[in-house]
Amino acid sequence: MRDMTTPVLLGDFKIDPVTQVLIRTTDNQSVKLSRSESLIICMLAKQPNVAVSRDALLEDCWTGKVVTNSSLTVAIKHIRSAFSELGADDVIVTEPKKGYLIRLSSVEELKLEENNKSNASEKPPANDPTDSHTGHATPVSPSKTIITKAAVLSHLTQASKRYLVTALTFTLTIITLSQMALFVESTQIDHHRVLYDGQVMPPAVIDAIKATPDPKSKFIAYPLGGICDDYQLIVIDNKAGFIDITSQIEQGNCRG
């Protein structure tokens, strides 16, 4: 893994793994995260747009602790909420059967690349650019500077257009699923459609879904984590809206 003491820049955001704060650099608005959540962002930022497996995240972001898949699921939800609070709703993406990734647009990738180059250039140069005979710095050709700026501007313009098209395409989906970003997989149980996190649901949750008489109902099965791996079960009714039927699940009591 990368150095976990250096702040990581992600487009308009910065995560400081030492203070465990996610910051929007445009106005310095921030959200406090846990250590594990900060490490997850740092690990995903190492290779933007490349999925990192759940097992790798559990192993590297909870060092020395025994945790379950539910712990990672809850941590990812908190990270998504933090980005959403700072105005970004689709940064953390779930790749079914693969894991999670940080999605960066072309513009954000360019910013990240420039920041990485800037950090690398902080080391003293090997050769002194001054003229050894005159003691004056060798001037840089103005034409080279103009060409470089034009190339960057052209890249930013093209990237902005691609990003705008993508954003418009997914706007309705983001609005509809902004509160259900965690539930990226769906299954059928007795003709009921169930949105869930891809993990095996306990028999008690499945029985509660089967006990619902309306075959057109949709469900959200959400793992709350903890010692018992309890679940919250929500029915999406076209007329009544969201109905919490968690009390109908016979989850037992293992908290003593």
Side-chain angles (χ1 to χ4, degrees), residues 3-55:
D3 178 14
M4 287 305 171
T5 61
T6 303
V8 178
L9 293 174
L10 296 166
D12 291 333
F13 298 92
K14 178 173 71 173
I15 178 67
D16 190 331
V18 176
T19 60
Q20 301 164 23
V21 174
L22 178 65
I23 304 170
R24 183 170 59 198
T25 57
T26 55
D27 56 6
N28 288 326
Q29 292 293 315
S30 63
V31 176
K32 180 72 173 179
L33 298 174
S34 69
R35 173 172 172 76
S36 296
E37 292 160 2
S38 301
L39 293 179
I40 289 172
I41 297 177
C42 291
M43 191 168 178
L44 296 181
K46 183 178 180 181
Q47 289 184 298
N49 298 321
V50 177
V52 178
S53 70
R54 297 176 67 94
D55 289 341

